[in-house]
Amino acid sequence: SSDVCSSDLFPSHDRMTVNPLVEIGSVTTCQGDTVSVPVSVFNANGVGAISMVIDYNANNLTFIDADQVNPMVSAAMIVNAGTFNGQTQVRAGWFDINAINLNGLLFNLRFIANATSNLSFDLVTPNHCELADANADPIPSVLFQSGAVQVVPSSTATLNEIIPTGSTFSVCGNSFSTSGTYTVVCGSSYRDWE
């Protein structure tokens, strides 16, 4: 009889390698909403420097800032937006002589969403997107996954509600405690309609 778990089938020197991944999230929101898009780094060990350039359509998204910056990089992380060689970009950079391990949220990018836009890593221009070690040598085999902001139309509803004294009525994140006719725009939170 053959042993399915024999060492011939699974030699000890064969190890699965998980490449570091830098990922921009994809989110759906309503027109005019402020949206947070996560930028995460997974399975990255020995990181001493980060360089990211993210292209986006400035007619469709208005960059506000980056927030919820990972505490391991927050003291020295620089994130800004501008137009460089005709392309609107968010650029992020960080370095430290003490290498760190990253596996999760790096920061959120906040935009006002006017229309749908891709958020694409600039992988064409050398050195624009890379993770490097403490010696500034690029970490090999890093994967970069771009994201997007999808904008869906806002919904408006006119409601005529009779609300008993002492009660409240809630819809789309709004609470009402008196009877009346209300116009509610359910665009301030896309999740209200999910």
Side-chain angles (χ1 to χ4, degrees):
S1 105
S2 74
D3 182 0
V4 227
C5 293
S6 77
S7 61
D8 293 336
L9 292 176
F10 301 103
S12 63
H13 65 273
D14 287 346
R15 303 270 187 243
M16 184 171 92
T17 302
V18 178
N19 292 333
L21 170 66
V22 182
E23 176 183 68
I24 303 170
S26 290
V27 298
T28 302
T29 191
C30 292
Q31 186 175 19
D33 283 356
T34 298
V35 63
S36 290
V37 181
V39 177
S40 301
V41 178
F42 299 104
N43 305 310
N45 297 320
V47 177
I50 299 169
S51 177
M52 289 183 205
V53 175
I54 302 167
D55 297 337
Y56 70 98
N57 184 329
N59 293 319
N60 297 357
L61 300 176
T62 302
F63 179 74
I64 299 171
D65 62 12
D67 70 358
Q68 296 185 347
V69 179
N70 186 310
M72 295 179 76
V73 300
S74 62
M77 175 66 75
I78 297 171
V79 181
N80 65 12
T83 302
F84 306 92
N85 298 318
Q87 174 62 56
T88 308
Q89 299 172 326
V90 173
R91 292 184 170 197
W94 172 87
F95 76 95
D96 196 309
I97 59 171
N98 300 303
I100 61 171
N101 299 332
L102 293 168
N103 193 35
L105 181 68
L106 187 61
F107 52 76
N108 285 322
L109 294 176
R110 292 189 331 126
F111 297 94
I112 296 172
N114 300 308
T116 297
S117 176
N118 289 327
L119 297 168
S120 304
F121 284 113
D122 177 0
L123 300 176
V124 176
T125 309
N127 306 318
H128 268 199
C129 293
E130 68 181 16
L131 301 180
D133 62 21
N135 297 318
D137 295 323
I139 296 172
S141 303
V142 176
L143 305 173
F144 289 87
Q145 183 174 324
S146 296
V149 174
Q150 179 183 3
V151 173
V152 296
S154 299
S155 298
T156 303
T158 300
L159 308 169
N160 187 4
E161 292 296 321
I162 298 172
I163 303 169
T165 304
S167 297
T168 59
F169 172 74
S170 296
V171 61
C172 296
N174 298 293
S175 293
F176 305 98
S177 58
T178 58
S179 297
T181 300
Y182 301 98
T183 300
V184 179
V185 178
C186 292
S188 61
S189 176
Y190 175 71
R191 287 175 287 288
D192 292 333
W193 291 102
E194 288 186 306

